[in-house]
C-alpha cells in the first residue's frame, strides 16, 4: 500500500538560477574577466550562458506551467551599478520585468542580491576584502530594493558567503584567485558578515518582505576517532556558525546542500571534498554525482536540523538542493529522498517552508563550465532551445498535489 504524506498548504516548491550562470554576456563582472585569463582554473567562459537575459519570460511560463510556485534568481550588481555610484535605470527596469513575469504567473520571486559575482570595478578596488565593501553593498541593496522591493516576494542578501573568503583567498578557485592569503580571507569574512547585516537592514527599510542569508550547509559527519580539524570544509562550517548567529535576527535562514562529507581519524575522506581540485575528471559513478560528490540525498535532513539547532524557531527555506547527473531518473530519485527528509523534519516540528531545486536550467557551473548538468530543463547550447526533462514534470506534480505518494 502506498503512503501519502502531505506538505503544508503554503509550502513553496520552486527552482533556482543565478544571474551570471544563466543570463549570458555579463561582461562587466569580475567572473567574466577571470574566465578570460588563461591561467585561472575555469574550463570555459560563460559566454551567452542560457540567454536567460532575453528568454526569462519563456522560462518563467514553463516553470509555472509544470506547477511550481516559486522561482529563485539573482539580480546582477555589475549590470545595476556598472561604474561606482552610477546606477542603471535600464538594468533595474529589466529586473522589474522579470519580477512582473513571475507575478503574472502567480510565481513567488525569491531574489538574491548577490550570487558570487562582483562588478569588475569593485574587484579592482579590493572586492570582499576592501573595507568599503559593506557600505557599497548597503548602498546597492538600498537602490535595488527601492526600485524592485514592491515586486519581490522574499529577499536573500548574499549567496553562500561562508565560502567566499576561502574560495577567493585561500584556494584560488574564485576571483581574485589568491592562495593561502589568510589575512585577505579573514577580512573578506568580516566584511561579508557586516555586509549581510547592513544590506538586510537596507532592504527592510525599503520593503516589507522577509530577508535572510542563504548558506551552504553540507552534512558533515564525524566518524569514530575523528578530530575536528582545519580542512576547508570545517573552516567554512565555523564561518557558518557566525552567519547563523546573525541569522537569528532575520526572518528566515536559507539552507543549501548537495551531499555529506565524512571526516575520519585521518581527516576528510568523502569524494569531492577537495574543492581546490577543479581539474578533476567529472565522471559520474554509482556512488558519485557528476561533481564528484557522494550521492547522498539524505544530507538535506542533516543540513536542515543543523540550521534548526543553531536558529531555534526561525523559519527555514531550502533555497538550493540538487544533483548534477546525466540520468534524469536518478535526479527524480534524489529529489524524492530529499523531500522525504523535508517531511521528516516537518514531522519533528521544524518550520521548513520551501524546497527550491538547483537548478531550473542546465547552466554555467563556474570553474567546471557547462559539463555538469543540474537542470530540470536542458538547454541546447547552439539554439538555446529549452528541453524540459521528466524531472521538471515530476517536481511540478509533487507541487500541485503537495504530496509524495
Ligand atoms: C551555488 C550555485 C552552484 C551550485 C552547484 C551552489 O553552491 O549557489 O551557484 O551552481 O551550488 O554547485
Amino acid at each position: 500500500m502506498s503512503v501519502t504524506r502531505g506538505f503544508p498548504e503554503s509550502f513553496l516548491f520552486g527552482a533556482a538560477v543565478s544571474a551570471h550562470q544563466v543570463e549570458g554576456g555579463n561582461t562587466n563582472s569580475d567572473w567574466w574577466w577571470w574566465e578570460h585569463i588563461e591561467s585561472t582554473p575555469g574550463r570555459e567562459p560563460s559566454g551567452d550562458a542560457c540567454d536567460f537575459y532575453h528568454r526569462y519570460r519563456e522560462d518563467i511560463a514553463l516553470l509555472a506551467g509544470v506547477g511550481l510556485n516559486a522561482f529563485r534568481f539573482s539580480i546582477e550588481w555589475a549590470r545595476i551599478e556598472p561604474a561606482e555610484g552610477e546606477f542603471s535605470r535600464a538594468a533595474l527596469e529589466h529586473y522589474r520585468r522579470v519580477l512582473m513575469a513571475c507575478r503574472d504567473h502567480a510565481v513567488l520571486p525569491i531574489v538574491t542580491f548577490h550570487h558570487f559575482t562582483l562588478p569588475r570595478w569593485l574587484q579592482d578596488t579590493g572586492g570582499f576584502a576592501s573595507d568599503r565593501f559593506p557600505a557599497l553593498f548597503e548602498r546597492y541593496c538600498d537602490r535595488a530594493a527601492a526600485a524592485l522591493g514592491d515586486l519581490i516576494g522574499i529577499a536573500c542578501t548574499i549567496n553562500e558567503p561562508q565560502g567566499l573568503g576561502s574560495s577567493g583567498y585561500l584556494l584560488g578557485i574564485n576571483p581574485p584567485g589568491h592562495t593561502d592569503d589568510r589575512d585577505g580571507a579573514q577580512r573578506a569574512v568580516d566584511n561579508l558578515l557586516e555586509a549581510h547585516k547592513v544590506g538586510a537592514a537596507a532592504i527592510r527599510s525599503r520593503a516589507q518582505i522577509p530577508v535572510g542569508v542563504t548558506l551552504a550547509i553540507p552534512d558533515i559527519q564525524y566518524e569514530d576517532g575523528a578530530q575536528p580539524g582545519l580542512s576547508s570544509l570545517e573552516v567554512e562550517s565555523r564561518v557558518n556558525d557566525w552567519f547563523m548567529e546573525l541569522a537569528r535576527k532575520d526572518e528566515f535562514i536559507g539552507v543549501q546542500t548537495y551531499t555529506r562529507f565524512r571526516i575520519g581519524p585521518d581527516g576528510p575522506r568523502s569524494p569531492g571534498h577537495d574543492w581546490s581540485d577543479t581539474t578533476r575528471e567529472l565522471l559520474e559513478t554509482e556512488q558519485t554525482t557528476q561533481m564528484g560528490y557522494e550521492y547522498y540525498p539524505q544530507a538535506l535532513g542533516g543540513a536542515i536540523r543543523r540550521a534548526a539547532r543553531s536558529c531555534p524557531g526561525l523559519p527555514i527555506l531550502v533555497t538550493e538542493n540538487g544533483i548534477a547527473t546525466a540520468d534524469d531518473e536518478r535526479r527524480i530519485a534524489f529529489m524524492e529522498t530529499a523531500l522525504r527528509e523535508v517531511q521528516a523534519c516537518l514531522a519533528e516540528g521544524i518550520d521548513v517552508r520551501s524546497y527550491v531545486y538547483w537548478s531550473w536550467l542546465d547552466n554555467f557551473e563556474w570553474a567546471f563550465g557547462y559539463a555538469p548538468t543540474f537542470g530540470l530543463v536542458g538547454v541546447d547550447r547552439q539554439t538555446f532551445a529549452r528541453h524540459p526533462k521528466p524531472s521538471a514534470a515530476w517536481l511540478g506534480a509533487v507541487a500541485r498535489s503537495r504530496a509524495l505518494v
Side-chain angles (χ1 to χ4, degrees), residues 18 21 72 115-116 159-160 216 256 258 291 293 320 358 363-366 374:
S18 88
Q21 294 176 271
R72 176 169 176 247
H115 196 123
F116 293 0
N159 183 66
E160 302 187 347
Q256 322 200 142
Y258 290 86
M291 294 298 285
Y293 298 149
E320 279 183 33
W358 181 275
N363 64 38
F364 179 70
E365 180 54 27
W366 306 108
F374 280 94

Side-chain angles (χ1 to χ4, degrees), residues 65-251:
V66 299
L68 301 180
N69 61 6
F71 181 47
R72 176 169 176 247
F73 66 95
S74 70
I75 53 175
E76 183 58 57
W77 191 350
R79 294 188 196 272
I80 294 175
E81 191 179 356
E84 185 176 343
E86 217 175 291
F87 288 84
S88 163
R89 277 194 297 277
L92 288 165
E93 210 31 62
H94 168 81
Y95 289 118
R96 276 195 78 79
R97 288 192 292 270
V98 181
L99 287 160
M100 273 311 296
C102 293
R103 296 295 183 177
D104 286 348
H105 290 281
V107 164
L108 191 82
I110 305 177
V111 174
T112 308
F113 279 61
H114 180 272
H115 196 123
F116 293 0
T117 49
L118 287 176
R120 172 96 188 262
W121 60 262
L122 178 47
Q123 184 60 264
D124 288 347
T125 55
F128 304 125
S130 158
D131 293 347
R132 299 177 60 225
F133 179 75
L136 290 169
F137 184 66
E138 180 183 22
R139 181 176 63 179
Y140 156 69
C141 287
D142 177 66
R143 297 291 288 261
L148 308 173
D150 58 322
L151 293 175
I152 295 176
I154 294 173
C156 312
T157 53
I158 306 172
N159 183 66
E160 302 187 347
Q162 89 298 324
L164 295 173
S166 55
S167 50
Y169 295 85
L170 298 177
L171 304 175
I173 54 171
N174 280 12
H178 297 185
T179 46
D180 297 324
D181 175 1
R182 281 162 182 265
D183 183 49
Q186 185 61 57
R187 276 186 287 133
V189 170
D190 290 343
N191 290 337
L192 284 157
L193 285 160
E194 182 61 21
H196 168 65
K197 249 196 301 191
V198 296
I203 299 169
R204 282 186 196 107
S205 75
R206 295 289 190 174
Q208 305 269 305
I209 48 177
V211 185
V213 64
T214 60
L215 301 175
I217 309 180
D219 185 7
I220 299 185
Q221 301 181 357
Y222 287 95
E223 298 178 341
D224 283 351
Q227 299 293 332
L230 278 178
S231 59
S232 5
L233 259 175
E234 291 163 284
V235 169
E236 288 194 17
S237 178
R238 184 77 196 101
V239 178
N240 263 339
D241 290 335
W242 301 332
F243 275 100
M244 287 187 199
E245 223 175 285
L246 286 186
R248 289 180 202 141
K249 297 207 179 79
D250 293 335
E251 286 75 44

